[in-house]
């Protein structure tokens, strides 16, 4: 479980940016060894809070500054009277600078420093201090074998700064990586902790800024922002004399034969999120069901794109793709919408037809691919998208000149100008059909009410994920149709309808 305390910073950084921050703190007068000591104390406090009665730790140490943190943790545990030993996966003779000083400190405290071997038993709480944020390539031996043995041990694990084997920027597993129960990270949050397999490997995440200069940390450059009520874009409050014509006319296009539910979910979501008017252009076979389910939605039966043009002209925003299909009917409708000037949200089969070269992208709006759709749009495989989700979503935003939401655990929102936001809310119970259709309608409704594309995508992604969390308290079986009413309540909490 990936816990996200309210005290976590909102800015996410690359490994290079964090190293630069570390250097600036040292240049500003805090010695590197003192920062290492502060990191060790922070990790030791976290370990004792989580496992107060353990009484024993094993430190797996590499040969960089991450190992230095581990050696100092070992010294603190030894002086507290715990049973302690360090298994040196990296040769202590190769240590230098602050890490060498930390190893000497551990030895002075009476810590046994033993060479790691496949026969060396692990015991107590295992402190992962093998590889830090500088890792870029695949994990090599003997580290890979040490990590495999640790993961197979079933022992509780504290990772120092970042689980060894996790890429600090992309959240990719570099061949093999440690699965931690608790990760204590320092100075600034690394993007890779929140995307890819990062949340799965980190376990509970705690943060300590090591008493760094607050002003220096606040103005440090970052690569992304975590979405949070403190920094969410706000939908403007409504005037007491407001009327429906002021909040946009949204048109949902989709629902081929057998897939009418997707388009209806999308339209229902848009209605509940405050769009002034909502129309649904779909197959004639779905109109009766739509009117029974939601009579507030204006339904139009379409046999061809010619019938669609008048509806598009009246709309302020179009959401295209939920249940659209990829047949001749689908292609004709998408072509009829694509050239219009309204902001558009493209989802599902609209993206697949775009990837197949059947149509050009809209001029304005938002694309909402899941990893498989993103892979088709980029001409790569899904594994490559998941291996570096930030790079993938940025590439899509640049390629199409549109805001892009890359869905999945740790959804990302990218703008063509380089802005990147990450949503660390959500729940595994949201892994089900139709939730993407609800998100597309929500984004469209916020666009219809006047929000800019990037702002609408950020607010919608957070509301959608948070609603999933709220409903997931009941466990499995979350249906997409459950979300719109909860989203409505959350939207009112974040952006009250009236002042």
């Amino acid at each position: 479980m990936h816990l996200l305390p309210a005290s976590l910073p909102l800015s996410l950084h690359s490994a290079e940016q964090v190293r630069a921050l570390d250097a600036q703190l040292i240049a500003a007068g805090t010695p590197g060894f003192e920062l290492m000591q502060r990191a060790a104390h922070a990790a030791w406090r976290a370990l004792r809070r989580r496992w107060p009665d353990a009484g024993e730790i094993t430190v797996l140490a590499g040969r960089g500054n991450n190992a230095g943190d581990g050696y100092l943790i070992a010294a603190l545990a030894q002086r507290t009277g715990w049973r302690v030993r360090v298994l040196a996966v990296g040769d202590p003779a190769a240590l230098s600078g602050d890490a060498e000083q930390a190893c000497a400190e551990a030895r002075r405290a009476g810590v046994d420093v033993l060479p790691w071997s496949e026969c060396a038993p692990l015991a107590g709480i295992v402190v992962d201090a093998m590889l830090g944020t500088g890792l870029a390539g695949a994990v090599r031996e003997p580290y890979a074998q040490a990590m495999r043995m640790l993961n197979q041990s079933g022992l509780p694990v504290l990772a120092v700064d970042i689980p060894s084997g996790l890429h600090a920027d992309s959240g990719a597993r570099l061949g093999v990586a440690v699965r931690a129960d608790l990760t204590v990270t320092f100075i600034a949050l690394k993007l890779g902790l929140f995307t890819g397999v990062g949340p799965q490997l980190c376990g509970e995440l705690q943060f300590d800024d090591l008493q760094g200069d607050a002003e220096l940390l606040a103005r440090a450059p970052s690569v992304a922002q975590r979405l949070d009520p403190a920094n969410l874009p706000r939908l403007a409050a409504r005037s007491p004399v407001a009327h429906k014509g002021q909040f946009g006319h949204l048109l949902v296009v989709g629902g081929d034969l057998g897939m009418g539910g997707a388009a209806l979910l999308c339209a229902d979501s848009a209605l509940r999120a405050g769009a002034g008017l909502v129309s649904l252009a779909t197959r004639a076979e779905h109109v009766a069901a739509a009117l029974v389910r939601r009579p507030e939605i204006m339904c139009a039966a379409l046999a061809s794109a010619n019938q669609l043009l008048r509806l598009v002209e009246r709309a302020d925003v179009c959401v295209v793709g939920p249940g659209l299909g990829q047949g001749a009917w689908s292609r004709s409708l998408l072509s009829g919408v694509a050239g219009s000037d309204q902001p558009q949200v493209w989802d599902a089969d609209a993206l697949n037809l775009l990837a197949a070269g059947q149509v050009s992208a809209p001029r304005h709006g938002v694309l909402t691919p899941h990893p498989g759709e993103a892979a088709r749009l980029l001409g790569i495989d899904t594994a490559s998208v998941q291996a570096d989700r930030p790079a993938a979503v940025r590439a899509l935003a640049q390629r199409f000149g549109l805001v892009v939401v890359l869905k999945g655990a740790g959804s990302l929102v990218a703008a063509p100008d380089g802005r990147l936001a990450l949503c660390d809310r959500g729940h595994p119970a949201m892994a089900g059909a139709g939730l993407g259709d609800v998100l597309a309608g929500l984004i469209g409704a916020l666009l219809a009410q006047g929000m800019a594309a990037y702002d609408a995508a950020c607010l919608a992604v957070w509301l959608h994920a948070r609603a999933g969390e709220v409903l997931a308290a009941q466990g499995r079986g979350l249906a997409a149709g459950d979300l719109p009413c909860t989203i409505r309540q959350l939207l009112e909490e974040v952006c009250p309808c009236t002042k």
Side-chain angles (χ1 to χ4, degrees), residues 94-453:
L95 296 172
S96 62
D98 296 331
E100 182 180 19
Q101 187 176 348
C103 181
E105 179 77 11
R107 292 184 192 276
R108 282 194 296 272
V111 174
D112 289 331
V113 179
L114 306 170
W116 177 84
S117 76
E118 296 181 25
C119 300
L122 303 175
I125 310 303
V126 181
V127 176
D128 165 28
M130 288 182 280
L131 302 171
T133 60
L135 184 66
V139 176
R140 299 177 181 178
E141 300 295 354
Y143 293 96
Q145 181 61 18
M147 292 181 199
R148 285 190 288 266
M149 289 185 64
L150 173 55
N151 289 339
Q152 293 165 7
S153 72
L155 293 171
V157 177
L158 179 144
V160 178
D161 200 29
I162 189 169
S164 293
L166 175 65
H167 194 280
D169 294 347
S170 68
R173 181 188 282 107
L174 296 174
V176 61
V178 169
R179 293 193 305 270
D181 298 283
L182 172 63
T183 298
V184 184
T185 196
F186 311 120
I187 300 180
L189 296 179
K190 295 81 181 168
L191 176 59
L193 298 171
F194 294 86
T195 191
V197 296
Q200 177 185 352
L201 297 180
C202 286
E204 179 186 350
L205 181 65
Q206 295 188 22
F207 170 74
D208 196 291
D209 64 8
L210 305 187
Q211 304 165 49
D213 183 280
E215 188 175 331
L216 188 154
L217 295 173
R219 64 172 184 263
S222 62
V223 292
Q225 292 288 308
R226 284 196 311 117
L227 295 176
D228 181 87
N231 66 354
L232 285 175
R234 293 301 196 265
L235 188 62
R238 295 187 174 185
S239 162
V241 294
H243 59 82
K244 63 187 178 184
Q246 296 175 315
F247 306 110
H249 184 174
L250 182 141
L251 173 64
V252 176
V253 181
D256 199 358
L257 294 176
M259 297 185 287
L264 181 54
L265 281 168
C266 180
D268 188 35
S269 174
L271 189 72
R272 287 294 187 182
L277 298 163
V278 178
S279 293
L280 171 60
T282 188
R283 287 280 195 179
E285 289 83 351
H286 301 315
V287 169
L291 290 174
V292 170
R293 165 72 182 268
R294 186 60 67 199
E296 299 91 343
I297 296 170
M298 297 174 285
C299 296
L302 296 184
S304 69
N306 290 334
Q307 299 169 286
L308 179 62
L309 297 180
R310 189 174 63 177
L311 295 174
V312 172
E313 289 173 359
R314 294 206 305 260
D316 298 302
V317 174
C318 298
V319 181
V320 193
L324 182 66
Q326 298 185 48
W329 179 84
S330 314
R331 294 194 301 273
S332 67
L333 294 188
L334 185 57
S335 297
V337 176
S340 64
D341 285 328
Q342 297 97 328
Q344 300 185 29
V345 181
W346 281 25
D347 185 40
D349 280 322
L351 300 174
N352 291 324
L353 291 170
L354 176 60
Q358 298 288 324
V359 68
S360 297
R363 297 186 182 96
H364 317 285
V366 182
L367 308 181
T368 60
H370 59 54
E373 292 158 349
R376 289 188 280 278
L377 289 166
L378 290 169
I380 58 179
D381 59 28
T382 303
S384 298
V385 170
Q386 292 294 80
D388 196 340
R389 287 170 55 84
V393 73
R394 285 192 183 104
L396 286 170
Q398 287 295 314
R399 176 172 297 189
F400 295 106
L402 297 168
V403 171
V404 177
V405 175
L406 179 56
K407 296 182 288 192
S411 290
L412 292 162
V413 182
D417 62 11
R419 285 175 292 171
L420 182 67
L422 180 142
C423 181
D424 49 27
R425 309 312 296 245
H427 194 279
M430 298 176 72
L435 275 82
D437 305 314
V438 172
L439 176 61
L442 174 56
I443 296 172
L446 297 178
L447 288 172
Q449 293 171 84
M451 294 191 80

Side-chain angles (χ1 to χ4, degrees), residues 34-69:
E34 183 174 334
L35 288 174
M36 189 174 284
Q37 288 175 312
R38 292 177 186 177
H41 278 278
W44 175 236
R45 287 193 300 270
L47 189 154
R48 295 196 71 181
R49 283 194 299 268
R50 179 70 180 265
W51 300 286
D53 302 319
E56 183 174 9
I57 66 168
T58 302
V59 178
L60 293 177
R63 59 181 192 181
N65 282 347
N66 194 251
D69 298 337

